[in-house]
Amino acid sequence: MFQKVLIVEDLDSIIETIKTTLEKLSIPLIEHVKYCDDALIKIKKAQIDNEPFELLISDLSFKEDYRENKIKDGEELIKAAKKIQPEIKTIVFSIEDKSFKINSLFDNLAIDAYVVKGRNSIKDLKKAILDIQKNKTRILLPETTGSSMNKNTIMEIEPYDIELLKLLANGLLINEITSEFKKSDIHPNSNSSIEKRINKLKTYFKANNNVHLIAITKDLGVI
């Protein structure tokens, strides 16, 4: 079992719940911080002291307060931590459930597990830790239901979608997008096919309308 774990979370109640879970797994050294900057300092110091953390459990989003921080979120923290300690195991523990975002963390940051906060999230977190200990990777919990990771709603974001979203973001109407696609020989390029794709994207990203869709995809870095 892991011997030294770092929790990065800004809510006291969640910190205590995670600590209790780790203690039940007989993990002897558990440290926690509420700021990503502090987490990186701890990771650096542990490396210098030759007592590195074996597992990092981090949320993605942190509430801003009076303190100015260089590292704003968990994604930036994991990226910085892996530059210092590439072998550190990482679990993201977050309420974010959009599959595009989750897949990008697995693909771009090589996280080991993603646990969506919910009714059974502590049970899921325990399972993720045990699975990582068995050298399993790319663990997503919950595996079904609730989140947008449900198999019925998963879709691949293609270059076609990105170009479509960019044109929408620039204020083009469907018939204008159709015209642009025809000029660039992008298919499908009929009004109906473009409208259907926009509706699928709205369902996928849980967007209420086109403006909301653009806002979400910008926040996620899709466009």
Side-chain angles (χ1 to χ4, degrees):
M1 183 49 66
F2 294 111
Q3 297 299 301
K4 191 174 182 181
V5 179
L6 178 60
I7 304 165
V8 191
E9 169 64 58
D10 57 1
L11 295 179
D12 290 335
S13 57
I14 296 178
I15 290 170
E16 290 306 313
T17 304
I18 296 174
K19 278 180 66 180
T20 300
T21 302
L22 297 177
E23 286 165 357
K24 287 179 180 178
L25 291 172
S26 301
I27 295 173
L29 294 172
I30 304 165
E31 297 187 32
H32 63 86
V33 292
K34 295 183 178 181
Y35 297 95
C36 293
D37 283 5
D38 292 346
L40 192 61
I41 290 170
K42 277 187 172 288
I43 291 168
K44 285 179 178 178
K45 187 177 185 304
Q47 281 286 92
I48 292 168
D49 294 341
N50 201 27
E51 297 175 350
F53 289 98
E54 297 167 285
L55 175 65
L56 170 65
I57 302 173
S58 178
D59 197 350
L60 284 181
S61 58
F62 296 82
K63 266 193 174 179
E64 292 187 11
D65 58 15
Y66 63 91
R67 176 172 161 174
E68 188 69 29
N69 291 284
K70 292 179 181 177
I71 303 175
K72 304 294 184 182
D73 57 43
E75 187 171 353
E76 288 182 29
L77 170 61
I78 293 169
K79 187 176 181 179
K82 283 183 172 284
K83 283 183 180 179
I84 297 165
Q85 187 183 342
E87 72 279 6
I88 192 170
K89 300 295 184 182
T90 51
I91 296 176
V92 172
F93 188 52
S94 172
I95 197 168
E96 174 63 72
D97 68 351
K98 291 186 173 64
S99 59
F100 179 88
K101 181 68 173 180
I102 296 170
N103 283 330
S104 73
L105 292 171
F106 280 116
D107 294 338
N108 300 327
L109 294 183
I111 64 170
D112 296 280
Y114 193 106
V115 179
V116 179
K117 289 179 180 176
R119 287 193 182 95
N120 299 310
S121 55
I122 294 304
K123 179 182 175 183
D124 291 337
L125 179 62
K126 181 180 177 181
K127 184 179 186 305
I129 293 168
L130 293 172
D131 282 349
I132 292 172
Q133 190 67 40
K134 297 172 185 174
N135 292 320
K136 293 182 181 179
T137 58
R138 206 174 176 98
I139 302 155
L140 172 63
L141 296 166
E143 296 169 338
T144 59
T145 71
S147 78
S148 59
M149 291 302 291
N150 190 303
K151 289 179 182 177
N152 293 327
T153 59
I154 287 178
M155 64 183 280
E156 291 295 324
I157 303 300
E158 303 170 357
Y160 177 94
D161 301 307
I162 294 171
E163 187 61 31
L164 174 56
L165 290 166
K166 284 179 179 177
L167 293 174
L168 268 182
N170 288 334
L172 273 68
L173 301 175
I174 288 177
N175 63 322
E176 293 172 322
I177 294 173
T178 295
S179 178
E180 288 297 318
F181 275 12
K182 285 179 179 178
K183 284 179 188 176
S184 303
D185 198 28
I186 296 173
H187 298 275
N189 53 28
S190 67
N191 284 9
S192 60
S193 60
I194 289 170
E195 191 167 5
K196 284 178 184 177
R197 194 63 182 182
I198 290 171
N199 287 333
K200 281 187 178 181
L201 288 166
K202 284 192 288 190
T203 299
Y204 178 71
F205 287 107
K206 297 183 179 178
N208 299 323
N209 50 50
N210 289 356
V211 174
H212 191 203
L213 174 63
I214 296 307
I216 291 170
T217 51
K218 281 185 175 180
D219 286 344
L220 291 174
V222 180
I223 57 173

